[in-house]
Amino acid sequence: MKTIDEVLNDNGGGLYYGNRVLLPFKAEILKIVIDSDIITDFSKELKGASVRATDAYTEIYFYDYKDLEEELSKYDIIKIVLVQSGDDLFDFNNHIPIELSIESKHKLSIKKISDDIIFFE
Amino acid sequence: MKKHILVFLFSVLMLFSVSNKLIAQETKQGEAKTEVVQNNEIEKVEHELPNPLMVLPFVILLIMIATGPIFYHHFWEHHYPKISVVLGTITAAYYWFILNDTHSLLHTAAEYFSFIALLASLFFASGGIMIKVDKKATPLLNVSILLFGAVIANLIGTTGASMLLIRPFIKINQDRMKPYLVVFFIFIVSNIGGALTPIGDPPLFLGFLRGIDFFWFFEHIWYIWLPTIILITTIFYFIDIRNKGDETEKEYTGKIEFKGAKNLIYLLIILLAVFVDPNVMSWVPNLSPSPIGLREIIQFSVVLFAIKTSDKEILRYNEFDVEPIREVAFLFVGIFATMIPALQLISYEANLLGDKLTAGMFFWSTGLLSGVLDNAPTYLNFLSAAMGKFGLDINSQADVKEFMMLDVIFLQAISVAAVFFGAMTYIGNGPNFMVKSIVERAGIKMPSFFAYVYRYSLPILIPLFILVWLVFYF
């Protein structure tokens, strides 16, 4: 399985189905910004989002967005701060901000957040 | 679903129809006047006053607008268009079928299209402009941006100025970001700044559409606007100098990058189009009874041009989303329709109350309600009340012109209060929520609705507004 850096360097993508997002790496997610919702609580309360990381992928379920394709506009992006699984979570240098954009046919583009986009961790 | 809505609408209409007749039997109803332009001649048409119960759709809609985004966000997000349209339809159907008053409806439709054409064109034109500032944030630079925002809010609206400046403002403060920075931005750029022209803030534009001269606001408000802006930026400065931020080794080029020049031309066209009105320029054709005039045609054309030609890279940088303007368009369909009875009844009641109402009362009542409701409809309601005090009718442009000359202090108090107090809460004025949303999309946690009020509005704005009241309206 690829690391986050490899996916970003290869312009790799993920998948989405309805409210489920699949990322092709194993990661610890620290913060998600979707629309104007800031999600940092990934406990089991059915609010915000839940995250599950397997050896093959990391998946996110958004509880308040039933269909991402329908609810996000053309210029909307999902911003995420994450850390490669196994890396030191407490070292800020390992924190990677990425942006996800919805594309057609369930494809999800994954890019490192550019300097142009204003994003606060 | 549609069948249920129709049954519901029919039942509500029947209820109002019956209660209207009962009230009419018990009390002598007053009359509402509407101005109708036929063959370039103004004719006043008198209609029966609406049943007081018809204010309910307006009250329900305002309460839902105030509480929806906070307490039932996702339900509201999905259903506000239906709620607004259904409530608006109830009032429209009541006027059409029960009062047989199509004049008020037509008048309101024309006002709605003027309002939404201006806001939409400013929104789309400013969305295609990008300003990048690569400078180190200092309290002085922040004050300069806020002052600049306050001034340009009068040229491109508080909505346009907020959309244009909020991103560079938070970008330069990246290493010292604190919620108070955004709150003061909302106070100054999204609200108080725009008190000098009808383009500045939606309530004033509604006043302009009713007949108040374009330059009346500048002439009679600048001497309140200026000290208020100086005071609030001074408070900001002294809070901001205490913010040392994170130590960073980042080097700044000092460069200011601007992209989207053609959209500046669009903004200029929008601004000039405001004056393309048969009441301002005699050569402008009156397209009455069409609710859309030449001004609106120009402004809607700008929307189309801006959609077609705005730079995609800039739209992406601005994370451009049509949702905020879609929301305004839908909500204001409901607000404009449901507020017709409220406006007519308030005007009638104020006429009866007469001398008991002072300018100070108008200042506080317009202000406090503007803070918790949207300030645009609140402004019209209190303008209606103030005019009613002098036996004048807000639906008559001749009456509005007379009122404008008659007693400056009332119109001034209402205008100042509607604009200034719009800053009291996130829901006081359209741009407040837009700024909050842009900032949260950047990952910054903003104060909750109540925290905004008790941490910022009450300790900062209220003392300032008391001062304005003591100096000008006490």
Side-chain angles (χ1 to χ4, degrees), chain B residues 402-465:
Chain B
E402 194 185 330
F403 179 66
M404 194 179 80
M405 305 292 182
L406 188 76
D407 209 333
V408 167
I409 199 166
F410 287 96
L411 183 52
Q412 187 195 55
I414 295 164
S415 304
V416 166
V419 177
F420 285 15
F421 280 76
M424 284 292 293
T425 66
Y426 286 131
I427 54 172
N429 194 15
N432 304 4
F433 230 93
M434 276 169 53
V435 168
K436 179 179 183 275
S437 166
I438 289 171
V439 170
E440 284 177 339
R441 277 162 190 256
I444 303 161
K445 190 95 186 128
M446 285 295 289
S448 69
F449 180 86
F450 294 107
Y452 176 96
V453 174
Y454 72 75
R455 272 192 218 149
Y456 300 100
S457 304
L458 291 179
I460 298 165
L461 291 181
I462 289 295
L464 209 62
F465 297 159

Side-chain angles (χ1 to χ4, degrees), chain B residues 224-286:
Chain B
I224 302 174
W225 179 90
L226 191 60
T228 310
I229 290 285
I230 291 173
L231 267 175
I232 197 160
T233 42
T234 308
I235 297 168
F236 170 79
Y237 178 80
F238 283 107
I239 295 175
D240 205 32
I241 49 172
R242 292 163 59 196
N243 180 357
K244 302 293 175 208
D246 296 335
E247 284 302 317
T248 168
E249 286 167 13
K250 190 183 168 189
E251 291 200 0
Y252 297 89
T253 58
K255 221 170 72 178
I256 298 175
E257 195 183 335
F258 179 89
K259 277 188 185 170
K262 64 174 170 289
N263 288 50
L264 276 187
I265 298 169
Y266 294 152
L267 287 176
L268 186 68
I269 294 170
I270 298 163
L271 179 64
L272 295 175
V274 169
F275 300 97
V276 180
D277 186 299
N279 295 314
V280 181
M281 296 173 176
S282 56
W283 57 268
V284 176
N286 193 329

Side-chain angles (χ1 to χ4, degrees), chain B residues 119-141:
Chain B
L119 278 195
S121 52
L122 286 173
F123 181 82
F124 280 95
S126 54
I129 297 173
M130 179 179 83
I131 301 174
K132 277 191 201 172
V133 183
D134 192 28
K135 277 177 180 279
K136 187 175 166 52
T138 60
L140 213 56
L141 178 62

